[in-house]
Amino acid sequence: MTSHQITLLFLDLALILVLARAAGAVARRVRQPAVIGEILVGILLGPTLFGSTLDRWLFPTALRPPLSALADLGIALFMFIIGLELDHSLLRGMRTTAAGIAAGAMVVPFALAIPLALWMSRSQPPEHRAGFVLFLATAMSITAFPVLARILADRGIIRTALGGVALAGAAICDLVAWTLLAVSIAIATPHGTAPWKIALVPPFVAVAFLVGRRTPRTPATPDAPTPEVPTSGAPRPAAARPGLALVMAAVLGSAAFLEWTGLNFIFGAFLIGTIVPREHTAPIRAAIEQISVMLLMPAFFIIAGLAVDLSHLGISGVATLLLIMAVAVGGKFAGTLATARLLGISGRQSAALGALMNTRGLTELIVLTTGVQLGILDHRTYSMMVVMALLTTIMTGPLLDWLRPLHNLTADVDTASAVGGRA
């Protein structure tokens, strides 16, 4: 890079920091997750409103590769944090109810999305259609665990039974979704994936879990208690353990290995997060969030937003977007509501769970960006899916408030019996 390019890169990073913090603050003022404001900034700077003039001036073509590299590093660290946030004890404590909620929240939108994806795949090469359909159906079935946790925390219901069931169900959805996405990527990109490389993934995962189980358990440091909610908030100061460098080396090495196999680096980072002993998560998470949440993820939002172009959708594009919204929102809501009622959960709380499970946010954006990078999604489909992810996340909070007034939510859900009991 030339001296001029380095100067512009640092100025761009400073601009990204300022815009992301300001947009996040505005979003929180209107009771939305900060990530909504940060994503919208990226879209507003893109070609939708100003064509290509503004984004090319602010983010010249020569700077896109280094910014994309920083964004990818941010995604890897964020996926590692998502893995850290999977509460294994929560999954065990609510396994029957949560598994039922997760099944309804995924199976119905997935099934409804298949015919829509088949119709949208007409422009895809025949050999890629199966992977495209599986990828799109999975993307419509996702629930964003981190953003959901932030919404629950902001409304003071994260420690309630309703919040616990929603979080446990979202965690299961995440695990299933990442598995399906790995399969869809392998199908959609057969020329970049050698079968013998894929065959190395199961033994790699087994060895990783074996090593993780043998990692010495040490008590968490007294000055670094486990935070109540994951990600998306202000960085929390905490002293990192001496083993942090080894953990980061494992994250980056695992990400590199999964990328080499032809899957994607996000799965490698997520894998290490799921196997790190729970005793170590608080200081590790606090140290990583200092740089990831503050700088790297905002860079990702900008890069992702610049790829969104809604200026040429036309009538057919708007009609397709409405179909996507109907399938994604209606399928997720109906599937969750029906399953919750079968599990004996009250009508209003079943509807509240349906609203909560519709949260997609950042997890969806990571998935869609991966699809574009791998050539599974074109930019038109990507743009429509990003709009769907934003709208479904934005509507979650207001819909939850309308279905379940805050005083009712905090008054009646300290016991699991309020939402059908624990298994």
Side-chain angles (χ1 to χ4, degrees):
M1 293 180 66
T2 66
S3 175
H4 177 66
Q5 289 172 340
I6 292 174
T7 301
L8 286 179
L9 176 62
F10 287 139
L11 288 175
D12 278 347
L13 291 175
L15 177 64
I16 289 170
L17 275 174
V18 172
L19 291 177
R21 300 295 284 186
V26 172
R28 285 191 292 268
R29 288 290 298 271
V30 295
R31 301 192 72 193
Q32 290 290 339
V35 65
I36 294 296
E38 294 167 349
I39 295 173
L40 284 174
V41 163
I43 293 176
L44 293 176
L45 291 177
T48 298
L49 294 181
F50 303 103
S52 300
T53 304
L54 181 61
D55 65 283
R56 287 180 180 175
W57 181 68
L58 290 175
F59 307 99
T61 303
L63 293 186
R64 298 295 177 91
L67 285 173
S68 296
L70 289 173
D72 286 343
L73 179 58
I75 294 173
L77 295 180
F78 186 80
M79 290 304 301
F80 169 66
I81 292 173
I82 291 179
L84 288 179
E85 296 297 343
L86 288 180
D87 191 334
H88 301 165
S89 62
L90 182 65
L91 295 181
R92 288 193 298 268
M94 295 181 171
R95 57 184 178 272
T96 300
T97 303
I101 295 299
M106 287 204 72
V107 171
V108 175
F110 187 93
L112 292 177
I114 289 177
L116 176 59
L118 285 170
W119 176 70
M120 294 174 63
S121 69
R122 294 170 300 171
S123 60
Q124 295 286 323
E127 64 272 18
H128 292 164
R129 284 177 184 167
F132 172 83
V133 170
L134 180 57
F135 186 94
L136 203 66
T138 303
M140 290 194 190
S141 308
I142 284 174
T143 295
F145 177 82
V147 178
L148 173 61
R150 173 57 60 188
I151 291 173
L152 291 171
D154 288 345
R155 282 161 174 74
I157 57 175
I158 194 168
R159 296 300 182 190
T160 66
L162 179 66
V165 170
L167 281 178
I172 295 173
C173 281
D174 269 2
L175 288 173
V176 175
W178 294 123
T179 303
L180 290 174
L181 285 168
V183 174
S184 66
I185 288 172
I187 294 174
T189 57
H191 301 299
T193 305
W196 67 271
K197 290 183 179 180
I198 293 295
L200 295 176
V201 174
F204 174 78
V205 173
V207 171
F209 272 95
L210 179 63
V211 173
R213 285 179 177 272
R214 293 181 177 271
T215 302
R217 266 60 172 170
T218 56
T221 52
D223 58 341
T226 302
E228 290 189 356
V229 295
T231 68
S232 301
R236 310 173 186 89
R241 295 186 182 278
L244 178 60
L246 292 177
V247 172
M248 285 296 91
V251 171
L252 298 177
S254 179
F257 178 79
L258 268 293
E259 183 71 23
W260 173 76
T261 62
L263 293 179
N264 194 269
F265 67 89
I266 60 176
F267 302 113
F270 178 75
L271 170 66
I272 300 302
T274 62
I275 66 177
V276 170
R278 300 300 98 182
E279 295 87 345
H280 302 328
T281 58
I284 290 174
R285 179 174 57 239
I288 294 174
E289 284 184 340
Q290 295 285 345
I291 185 67
S292 176
V293 174
M294 180 178 293
L295 176 62
L296 298 180
M297 289 310 297
F300 165 68
F301 297 139
I302 293 297
I303 295 299
L306 293 178
V308 175
D309 186 0
L310 303 174
S311 60
H312 304 294
L313 276 186
I315 296 177
S316 63
V318 173
T320 303
L321 176 58
L322 291 176
L323 285 174
I324 290 173
M325 286 294 298
V327 169
V329 177
K332 180 78 76 170
F333 188 87
T336 305
L337 176 66
T339 306
R341 293 296 291 146
L342 289 174
L343 290 170
I345 300 174
S346 69
R348 277 188 173 270
Q349 290 192 334
S350 295
L353 283 170
L356 289 168
M357 298 300 286
N358 251 304
T359 304
R360 288 176 174 87
L362 181 53
T363 304
E364 181 83 4
L365 196 62
I366 291 173
V367 171
L368 298 177
T369 301
T370 302
V372 169
Q373 292 174 343
L374 296 175
I376 301 174
L377 302 179
D378 57 30
H379 285 283
R380 188 170 184 267
T381 303
Y382 168 82
S383 298
M384 291 186 290
M385 291 293 288
V386 168
V387 172
M388 180 273 290
L390 284 174
L391 292 178
T392 54
T393 305
I394 289 171
M395 70 172 61
T396 299
L399 187 57
L400 180 65
D401 292 339
W402 178 69
L403 288 169
R404 296 290 294 160
L406 184 60
H407 67 276
N408 287 342
L409 281 172
T410 55
D412 65 357
V413 286
D414 278 334
T415 62
S417 60
V419 287
R422 294 176 185 247

